[in-house]
Amino acid sequence: MFPRRAISSRRGFLFAASSIVGVAGASRIARAESPKAPPGAVLYDVPADPTKEQGRPVADESYGTRSQFETEVRVRYPTPNANTSWSLTPLGTGLGNITPSGLHFERHHGGIPTIDPAKHNLLIHGMVDRPMTFSMADIKRLPSVTRKHFIECSGNGLTEWNKPTMKTVQGTHGLLSTSEWTGVQFATFARETGFKEGAAWVLAEGADAAVMTRSIPMEKMLKDALIVYGQNGEAIRPEQGYPLRLLLPGYEGNTHIKWLRRLQVSDKPFMTREETSKYTDLLGNGKARIFTLDMDAKSVITFPSGDMKLPGPGYYDITGLAWTGRGRIQSVDVSVDSGKTWYPARLESVPEPMCTVRFSFPWMWEGKSAVLQSRCTDETGYVQPTLKQLIAIRGDNGPFGSIYHLNAIQSWAVSEAGDVTNVHA
């Protein structure tokens, strides 16, 4: 009803054509090789009355598919090099609070490695009492925990500082996803290896071609860092770090080192390329700040959102997501008049630490132009800022100013014709 674009038009944004997934044991009427099936789906003939025909049999072996009528996909940002690129989660069609593993956003610096878990190890060394190497089998024997947390790229929305550039919420906020993660607390490993006096930082290193590294404060590692191997009830997918990933609740996404192979303990940060020349925030005065690790509170309306069209006046349930890297979301407000008036939104579940929460707000649209906004507050009392307030602190990214950590209030304009567009308001 509402998204303006069908899958056929979205494919124009994709550099890599979608693949078609076949399913072993599917019905004889399945057309598994059809080029028209959406990614992850199989095309079947649609009966006029499904109560008058036998359905498909249960396959002897299968992994399952999604409906052929569901077409949302990640889209890759059109960088020149596909190995150092990113893809965005389709937030506008998401339901609930968990991102399907197949739609979790990606960010890669050297492509996706193929790693045999039987040959993969985690080395912990440096300022420790007992340097140790853990195989995947060793790790899975340790006590595990399962927790829901979001991961957000620090560059989420970086194109939007100066003017609206992306049409959809997938483009403006799609470097955000939430999963249920399973793994072992870093504190468990710490008890095995012990630490030498003065140990204060940990270098995490991935086994990808970029050998991605980041320095993490020991305080954070001992507080809530997880060494995870499970995502949404199954093994982490290769593009999410199979077989092992560092999970740092609330920290910027690049610190959640994928394909984790080494943790080196030190008394100081390692000052790698990723934490000096890359993931730093340049301010309006030309100075840079580094180790801006916590993600600030942020929210966005996902429906209605950019490039959708409302069919006519009437009732709509405005919905969206809110999250914070410093604990729980406390409340969300919604405005339909560009921030002149704010109303409390309903949180659809009890907020969890460093986890997205879905909110909703009932809206009777009279067919007049409107500007929709959401604004969240987290349990520390931090209130999501306007873009003007944020630029006053960080600069406007030209020639100096921030690239990362854009957490300003997002505005969607609704025209009298029902067209929804991305605006700065």
Side-chain angles (χ1 to χ4, degrees):
M1 172 169 60
F2 304 107
R4 183 186 301 279
R5 295 180 176 182
I7 183 64
S8 57
S9 61
R10 280 205 295 253
R11 282 178 176 163
F13 187 40
L14 292 170
F15 278 6
S18 58
S19 62
I20 307 302
V21 178
V23 178
S27 166
R28 61 183 174 80
I29 61 175
R31 299 191 300 242
E33 299 302 319
S34 171
K36 296 182 180 179
V42 175
L43 281 184
Y44 297 98
D45 292 331
V46 181
D49 184 350
T51 67
K52 299 293 191 293
E53 291 187 26
Q54 192 67 258
R56 298 189 298 277
V58 178
D60 292 334
E61 295 179 337
S62 74
Y63 188 71
T65 64
R66 66 173 175 172
S67 168
Q68 66 200 68
F69 304 104
E70 300 299 321
T71 59
E72 66 272 18
V73 292
R74 293 177 294 205
V75 292
R76 185 173 76 79
Y77 194 83
T79 53
N81 186 330
N83 294 100
T84 57
S85 188
W86 55 92
S87 64
L88 302 113
T89 294
L91 298 178
T93 55
L95 304 172
N97 205 30
I98 296 294
T99 307
S101 296
L103 295 177
H104 194 292
F105 83 87
E106 299 177 45
R107 173 70 173 106
H108 304 300
H109 299 77
I112 305 167
T114 300
I115 297 175
D116 181 351
K119 300 178 181 178
H120 189 75
N121 298 308
L122 174 63
L123 169 65
I124 301 180
H125 65 129
M127 293 179 63
V128 299
D129 297 329
R130 297 172 293 279
M132 297 181 71
T133 299
F134 298 85
S135 68
M136 288 301 300
D138 294 334
I139 294 170
K140 290 185 177 181
R141 290 177 63 185
L142 297 172
S144 65
V145 297
T146 297
R147 294 170 180 167
K148 291 192 284 291
H149 293 299
F150 74 83
I151 298 178
E152 182 184 18
C153 177
S154 59
N156 199 18
L158 61 81
T159 58
E160 307 300 300
W161 279 98
N162 293 323
K163 60 181 180 180
T165 64
M166 306 299 283
K167 289 185 177 181
T168 70
V169 69
Q170 183 173 16
T172 60
H173 291 74
L175 295 176
L176 166 79
S177 300
T178 296
S179 290
E180 184 181 78
W181 304 96
T182 298
V184 180
Q185 294 172 290
F186 172 76
T188 300
F189 292 94
R191 284 191 287 272
E192 295 293 315
T193 62
F195 295 138
K196 296 187 181 300
E197 185 176 352
W201 288 80
V202 178
L203 180 78
E205 181 181 272
D208 58 331
V211 193
M212 182 73 179
T213 53
R214 284 303 309 261
S215 300
I216 311 299
M218 178 64 81
E219 181 181 4
K220 174 66 175 178
M221 294 292 288
L222 292 175
K223 177 184 177 185
D224 57 9
L226 301 175
I227 311 300
V228 298
Y229 47 77
Q231 179 184 9
N232 296 333
E234 61 180 357
I236 293 177
R237 294 197 169 201
E239 62 268 31
Q240 298 302 329
Y242 183 87
L244 206 58
R245 178 174 196 168
L246 177 61
L247 201 291
L248 298 168
Y251 266 27
E252 59 184 24
N254 64 79
T255 63
H256 300 232
I257 298 296
K258 295 185 282 190
W259 315 290
L260 182 68
R261 69 172 184 179
R262 188 168 71 92
L263 296 172
Q264 182 176 354
V265 179
S266 175
D267 58 353
K268 55 184 176 299
F270 288 74
M271 307 304 286
T272 70
R273 182 194 71 161
E274 307 299 342
E275 53 211 28
T276 52
S277 67
K278 298 303 178 184
Y279 291 105
T280 63
D281 286 306
L282 191 63
L283 302 178
N285 59 9
K287 294 185 177 180
R289 58 176 188 165
I290 59 176
F291 298 112
T292 51
L293 301 172
D294 290 307
M295 301 304 293
D296 292 318
K298 191 172 178 180
S299 70
V300 63
I301 292 172
T302 57
F303 174 82
S305 57
D307 217 25
M308 294 182 180
K309 183 176 179 62
L310 302 183
Y315 173 81
Y316 293 93
D317 195 41
I318 295 174
T319 186
L321 295 167
W323 62 99
T324 174
R326 293 191 173 90
R328 294 175 173 84
I329 286 294
Q330 183 176 73
S331 62
V332 180
D333 298 318
V334 168
S335 174
V336 298
D337 59 4
S338 192
K340 297 182 180 66
T341 310
W342 293 94
Y343 303 95
R346 183 177 75 91
L347 302 185
E348 297 188 356
S349 60
V350 177
E352 298 180 59
M354 281 73 82
C355 183
T356 49
V357 62
R358 184 163 290 278
F359 65 86
S360 61
F361 177 76
W363 181 42
M364 187 63 73
W365 182 48
E366 298 177 346
K368 300 178 181 178
S369 58
V371 174
L372 310 182
Q373 298 175 327
S374 64
R375 177 184 66 184
C376 67
T377 302
D378 70 17
E379 64 181 350
T380 71
Y382 178 91
V383 180
Q384 185 180 4
T386 65
L387 182 60
K388 183 178 180 180
Q389 291 172 328
L390 199 61
I391 287 177
I393 299 171
R394 305 261 198 87
D396 61 1
N397 191 26
F400 300 115
S402 290
I403 295 176
Y404 303 114
H405 293 268
L406 174 56
N407 68 316
I409 291 171
Q410 169 70 39
S411 301
W412 303 115
V414 182
S415 72
E416 293 182 355
D419 297 295
V420 185
T421 55
N422 179 16
V423 298
H424 280 184

